[in-house]
Amino acid sequence: MRVAVIGSNGQLGTDLMKALQDGHDAIGFTHENLEVSDYNSCLKLKEHHPDVIINTAAFHKTDQCEDDLVKTFSVNAIGARNVAMISKEIGAITVLISTDYVFDGDKREPYTEDDATNPINSYGISKLAGELYTRQNPRHYIVRVASLFGKAGASGKGGNFVETMMTKAKNKETVNVINDMWMSPTYTKDAAFIIVQILELKLPFGTYHATNQGYCTWFQFAEEIFKMQGLTPDMRPIVTGQLVTKAKRPQFSALRSLKLPIHGIITREWKEALSAYLTERGAI
Ligand SMILES: NC(=O)c1ccc[n+]([C@@H]2O[C@H](COP(=O)([O-])OP(=O)(O)OC[C@H]3O[C@@H](n4cnc5c(N)ncnc54)[C@H](OP(=O)(O)O)[C@@H]3O)[C@@H](O)[C@H]2O)c1
């Protein structure tokens, strides 16, 4: 397959480019050479005649999204529209990377592909709008990921949670972490592998949840990060009420897939993925 990856030097984009190296022709687009919210800029995708266009680009600083709605919707919704329109025109498959934040968190157990969306912040609403635009190309995959950690670090967020925790421990800071918000930590290498599998196995078009298995609170995630490295920082569990944030966040946004196992795609547990990440980056 000839695959164009938008946001190719981002956290997930970097691992996608690696996962595609084996047997595919991957063409990477960084923010420097393609602005997803600008239709004319997206036209350069056509020059490469891709069979698939994967859009990882997003404005995803959740709190800042509340303050800059124009940027939020331009990148996350109009950007997705531009990519879907161009893919449809050239007969390519659109892959939109979406988020667990399209859900409200009230279900209190992992969300599947069949669950109704109901985002509670501007980031989530804009990503859901991106999903709706993506469906205008019938040949699409919407792949929802969550709480990513990867070697490249989220450029849009300035690192990732694992790295933030490690820095705090190194600096001997007290680590206050939310213990009443549940999610599915996911290694970008595993998410990238699932996305490539979906394409290679030509799974039915539609929406898929691509996370590591299981879920935990951010506090439990931090505990595991420290435990695996034998670190013992001063840790304090806090509750969401103690934090004032601009954006509301779903209290429970763990995801699980009903569809991938049917096609033989089974992901590993988040603890196993975390251990692989720490090993690969030389931390354990
Ligand atoms: N990170 C998470 O925990 C998380 C959780 C759920 C869902 N997701 C979704 O997963 C996807 C990938 O996340 P990630 O962690 O890999 O993010 P990331 O590291 O910030 O990567 C995003 C990439 O897109 C580029 N980009 C940003 N705005 C762009 C624009 N307007 N036009 C073109 N390129 C642009 C970025 O370049 P610059 O940095 O140079 O701008 C970067 O290369 C996103 O769609 C996000 O919504 C992420």
Side-chain angles (χ1 to χ4, degrees):
M1 283 177 290
R2 181 174 272 263
V3 186
V5 178
I6 303 172
S8 55
N9 60 346
Q11 189 170 221
L12 179 59
T14 301
D15 279 337
L16 269 169
M17 292 297 287
K18 279 190 205 145
L20 288 163
Q21 258 171 20
D22 201 11
H24 303 286
D25 183 6
I27 313 138
F29 291 87
T30 64
H31 199 175
E32 226 170 66
N33 45 49
L34 186 143
E35 171 51 59
V36 84
S37 61
D38 174 359
Y39 181 80
N40 288 328
S41 173
C42 291
L43 285 175
K44 63 180 69 143
L45 288 162
K46 278 188 178 181
E47 293 163 17
H48 298 270
H49 308 289
D51 304 304
V52 181
I53 305 177
I54 306 180
N55 180 13
T56 76
F59 180 46
H60 56 109
K61 284 185 174 157
T62 313
D63 291 319
Q64 287 183 22
C65 285
E66 299 299 328
D67 286 330
D68 197 342
L69 295 178
V70 172
K71 182 172 176 187
T72 303
F73 282 83
S74 301
V75 178
N76 300 343
I78 301 302
R81 184 203 63 166
N82 293 341
V83 174
M85 278 170 74
I86 288 167
S87 322
K88 192 176 172 186
E89 216 181 293
I90 61 173
I93 294 169
T94 313
V95 181
L96 176 74
I97 307 304
S98 192
T99 172
D100 51 335
Y101 276 22
V102 295
F103 296 110
D104 59 20
D106 292 344
K107 188 182 172 194
R108 302 279 155 172
E109 54 184 283
Y111 286 92
T112 73
E113 293 94 344
D114 289 345
D115 284 312
T117 53
N118 183 31
I120 57 170
N121 58 40
S122 300
Y123 167 65
I125 295 169
S126 68
K127 291 292 284 189
L128 181 59
E131 290 192 5
L132 297 176
Y133 277 129
T134 299
R135 293 197 178 103
Q136 291 188 353
N137 178 9
R139 288 163 54 75
H140 73 262
Y141 295 109
I142 291 161
V143 182
R144 297 190 186 124
V145 298
S147 309
L148 295 177
F149 55 94
K151 264 181 158 168
S155 47
K157 289 190 172 172
N160 65 46
F161 183 79
V162 183
E163 298 301 322
T164 306
M165 289 302 111
M166 284 163 65
T167 306
K168 282 183 186 288
K170 198 173 134 207
N171 295 341
K172 301 201 181 316
E173 286 174 48
T174 300
V175 191
N176 298 311
V177 194
I178 300 274
N179 199 24
D180 63 348
M181 197 179 273
W182 286 261
M183 45 78 216
S184 302
T186 298
Y187 188 9
T188 46
K189 191 175 176 182
D190 292 358
F193 179 73
I194 297 171
I195 294 162
V196 175
Q197 289 267 99
I198 290 173
L199 291 168
E200 286 179 346
L201 298 173
K202 297 185 171 37
L203 261 49
F205 292 120
T207 302
Y208 293 86
H209 287 182
T211 59
N212 282 120
Q213 286 197 51
Y215 58 87
C216 58
T217 67
W218 289 101
F219 182 83
Q220 290 164 341
F221 188 25
E223 270 186 327
E224 203 58 39
I225 294 164
F226 297 134
K227 195 170 119 196
M228 283 183 185
Q229 295 176 86
L231 300 171
T232 51
D234 178 19
M235 282 187 81
R236 303 208 181 140
I238 55 170
V239 292
T240 34
Q242 288 173 264
L243 272 189
V244 183
T245 57
K246 197 97 193 193
K248 277 201 326 188
R249 286 167 170 75
Q251 206 79 30
F252 189 105
S253 65
L255 301 181
R256 85 183 168 97
S257 179
L258 292 177
K259 291 158 82 176
L260 293 176
I262 296 171
H263 299 279
I265 303 176
I266 314 281
T267 55
R268 53 186 166 181
E269 287 285 328
W270 69 266
K271 283 187 192 177
E272 211 185 312
L274 173 63
S275 166
Y277 171 79
L278 292 172
T279 304
E280 279 156 36
R281 85 177 270 316
I284 54 175

